[in-house]
PDB file of all heavy atoms in Angstrom:
ATOM      1  N   LYS F  78      31.194  90.389   8.804  1.00 89.00           N
ATOM      2  CA  LYS F  78      29.781  90.564   9.281  1.00 89.00           C
ATOM      3  C   LYS F  78      28.821  89.686   8.443  1.00 89.00           C
ATOM      4  O   LYS F  78      27.904  89.107   9.009  1.00 89.00           O
ATOM      5  CB  LYS F  78      29.448  92.087   9.177  1.00 89.00           C
ATOM      6  CG  LYS F  78      28.074  92.400   9.775  1.00 89.00           C
ATOM      7  CD  LYS F  78      27.854  93.874   9.797  1.00 89.00           C
ATOM      8  CE  LYS F  78      26.419  94.211  10.391  1.00 89.00           C
ATOM      9  NZ  LYS F  78      26.169  95.643  10.473  1.00 89.00           N
ATOM     10  N   GLU F  79      29.009  89.723   7.191  1.00 91.00           N
ATOM     11  CA  GLU F  79      28.131  88.904   6.318  1.00 91.00           C
ATOM     12  C   GLU F  79      28.277  87.391   6.621  1.00 91.00           C
ATOM     13  O   GLU F  79      27.250  86.711   6.706  1.00 91.00           O
ATOM     14  CB  GLU F  79      28.518  89.104   4.817  1.00 91.00           C
ATOM     15  CG  GLU F  79      27.750  88.337   3.835  1.00 91.00           C
ATOM     16  CD  GLU F  79      28.232  88.448   2.410  1.00 91.00           C
ATOM     17  OE1 GLU F  79      29.123  89.264   2.209  1.00 91.00           O
ATOM     18  OE2 GLU F  79      27.689  87.738   1.534  1.00 91.00           O
ATOM     19  N   TYR F  80      29.499  86.974   6.781  1.00 92.00           N
ATOM     20  CA  TYR F  80      29.651  85.514   7.164  1.00 92.00           C
ATOM     21  C   TYR F  80      29.040  85.159   8.498  1.00 92.00           C
ATOM     22  O   TYR F  80      28.448  84.111   8.671  1.00 92.00           O
ATOM     23  CB  TYR F  80      31.124  85.169   7.173  1.00 92.00           C
ATOM     24  CG  TYR F  80      31.838  85.349   5.852  1.00 92.00           C
ATOM     25  CD1 TYR F  80      33.262  85.464   5.787  1.00 92.00           C
ATOM     26  CD2 TYR F  80      31.105  85.329   4.654  1.00 92.00           C
ATOM     27  CE1 TYR F  80      33.858  85.640   4.556  1.00 92.00           C
ATOM     28  CE2 TYR F  80      31.742  85.451   3.400  1.00 92.00           C
ATOM     29  CZ  TYR F  80      33.109  85.599   3.353  1.00 92.00           C
ATOM     30  OH  TYR F  80      33.708  85.725   2.114  1.00 92.00           O
ATOM     31  N   ALA F  81      29.157  86.091   9.452  1.00 92.00           N
ATOM     32  CA  ALA F  81      28.610  85.861  10.793  1.00 92.00           C
ATOM     33  C   ALA F  81      27.044  85.771  10.687  1.00 92.00           C
ATOM     34  O   ALA F  81      26.460  84.936  11.418  1.00 92.00           O
ATOM     35  CB  ALA F  81      28.983  86.992  11.725  1.00 92.00           C
ATOM     36  N   THR F  82      26.509  86.628   9.855  1.00 91.00           N
ATOM     37  CA  THR F  82      25.091  86.569   9.621  1.00 91.00           C
ATOM     38  C   THR F  82      24.571  85.219   9.015  1.00 91.00           C
ATOM     39  O   THR F  82      23.559  84.656   9.405  1.00 91.00           O
ATOM     40  CB  THR F  82      24.536  87.713   8.714  1.00 91.00           C
ATOM     41  OG1 THR F  82      24.952  88.976   9.304  1.00 91.00           O
ATOM     42  CG2 THR F  82      23.111  87.692   8.542  1.00 91.00           C
ATOM     43  N   ILE F  83      25.356  84.720   8.051  1.00 92.00           N
ATOM     44  CA  ILE F  83      25.091  83.486   7.429  1.00 92.00           C
ATOM     45  C   ILE F  83      25.087  82.316   8.444  1.00 92.00           C
ATOM     46  O   ILE F  83      24.291  81.461   8.502  1.00 92.00           O
ATOM     47  CB  ILE F  83      26.019  83.206   6.277  1.00 92.00           C
ATOM     48  CG1 ILE F  83      25.779  84.205   5.142  1.00 92.00           C
ATOM     49  CG2 ILE F  83      25.941  81.722   5.722  1.00 92.00           C
ATOM     50  CD1 ILE F  83      26.852  84.106   3.991  1.00 92.00           C
ATOM     51  N   VAL F  84      26.188  82.283   9.325  1.00 94.00           N
ATOM     52  CA  VAL F  84      26.352  81.322  10.344  1.00 94.00           C
ATOM     53  C   VAL F  84      25.144  81.359  11.303  1.00 94.00           C
ATOM     54  O   VAL F  84      24.515  80.358  11.714  1.00 94.00           O
ATOM     55  CB  VAL F  84      27.637  81.520  11.174  1.00 94.00           C
ATOM     56  CG1 VAL F  84      27.681  80.591  12.371  1.00 94.00           C
ATOM     57  CG2 VAL F  84      28.840  81.228  10.240  1.00 94.00           C
ATOM     58  N   HIS F  85      24.697  82.606  11.671  1.00 91.00           N
ATOM     59  CA  HIS F  85      23.592  82.823  12.577  1.00 91.00           C
ATOM     60  C   HIS F  85      22.269  82.239  11.966  1.00 91.00           C
ATOM     61  O   HIS F  85      21.513  81.472  12.588  1.00 91.00           O
ATOM     62  CB  HIS F  85      23.425  84.334  12.939  1.00 91.00           C
ATOM     63  CG  HIS F  85      22.237  84.560  13.840  1.00 91.00           C
ATOM     64  ND1 HIS F  85      21.071  85.026  13.334  1.00 91.00           N
ATOM     65  CD2 HIS F  85      22.152  84.444  15.165  1.00 91.00           C
ATOM     66  CE1 HIS F  85      20.280  85.186  14.399  1.00 91.00           C
ATOM     67  NE2 HIS F  85      20.841  84.818  15.453  1.00 91.00           N
ATOM     68  N   ASP F  86      22.018  82.572  10.752  1.00 90.00           N
ATOM     69  CA  ASP F  86      20.774  82.099  10.077  1.00 90.00           C
ATOM     70  C   ASP F  86      20.813  80.606   9.888  1.00 90.00           C
ATOM     71  O   ASP F  86      19.758  79.939  10.059  1.00 90.00           O
ATOM     72  CB  ASP F  86      20.623  82.822   8.726  1.00 90.00           C
ATOM     73  CG  ASP F  86      20.356  84.310   8.874  1.00 90.00           C
ATOM     74  OD1 ASP F  86      20.029  84.719   9.981  1.00 90.00           O
ATOM     75  OD2 ASP F  86      20.470  85.032   7.819  1.00 90.00           O
ATOM     76  N   SER F  87      21.938  80.064   9.529  1.00 91.00           N
ATOM     77  CA  SER F  87      22.036  78.618   9.398  1.00 91.00           C
ATOM     78  C   SER F  87      21.837  77.899  10.708  1.00 91.00           C
ATOM     79  O   SER F  87      21.196  76.824  10.783  1.00 91.00           O
ATOM     80  CB  SER F  87      23.437  78.258   8.774  1.00 91.00           C
ATOM     81  OG  SER F  87      23.602  78.821   7.461  1.00 91.00           O
ATOM     82  N   GLY F  88      22.357  78.442  11.783  1.00 90.00           N
ATOM     83  CA  GLY F  88      22.127  77.895  13.082  1.00 90.00           C
ATOM     84  C   GLY F  88      20.705  77.830  13.512  1.00 90.00           C
ATOM     85  O   GLY F  88      20.185  76.884  14.068  1.00 90.00           O
ATOM     86  N   LEU F  89      20.023  78.968  13.190  1.00 88.00           N
ATOM     87  CA  LEU F  89      18.519  79.008  13.542  1.00 88.00           C
ATOM     88  C   LEU F  89      17.758  77.944  12.724  1.00 88.00           C
ATOM     89  O   LEU F  89      16.828  77.285  13.315  1.00 88.00           O
ATOM     90  CB  LEU F  89      18.044  80.386  13.154  1.00 88.00           C
ATOM     91  CG  LEU F  89      18.390  81.518  14.080  1.00 88.00           C
ATOM     92  CD1 LEU F  89      17.840  82.843  13.582  1.00 88.00           C
ATOM     93  CD2 LEU F  89      17.888  81.327  15.510  1.00 88.00           C
ATOM     94  N   LYS F  90      18.096  77.676  11.479  1.00 86.00           N
ATOM     95  CA  LYS F  90      17.424  76.702  10.687  1.00 86.00           C
ATOM     96  C   LYS F  90      17.712  75.301  11.255  1.00 86.00           C
ATOM     97  O   LYS F  90      16.774  74.476  11.367  1.00 86.00           O
ATOM     98  CB  LYS F  90      17.953  76.714   9.186  1.00 86.00           C
ATOM     99  CG  LYS F  90      17.432  77.950   8.447  1.00 86.00           C
ATOM    100  CD  LYS F  90      18.015  77.965   7.030  1.00 86.00           C
ATOM    101  CE  LYS F  90      17.572  79.250   6.289  1.00 86.00           C
ATOM    102  NZ  LYS F  90      18.141  79.268   4.882  1.00 86.00           N
TER     103      LYS F  90
END
Side-chain angles (χ1 to χ4, degrees):
K78 183 175 180 179
E79 179 186 353
Y80 296 158
T82 301
I83 293 173
V84 171
H85 178 261
D86 292 345
S87 298
L89 288 176
K90 289 178 182 177

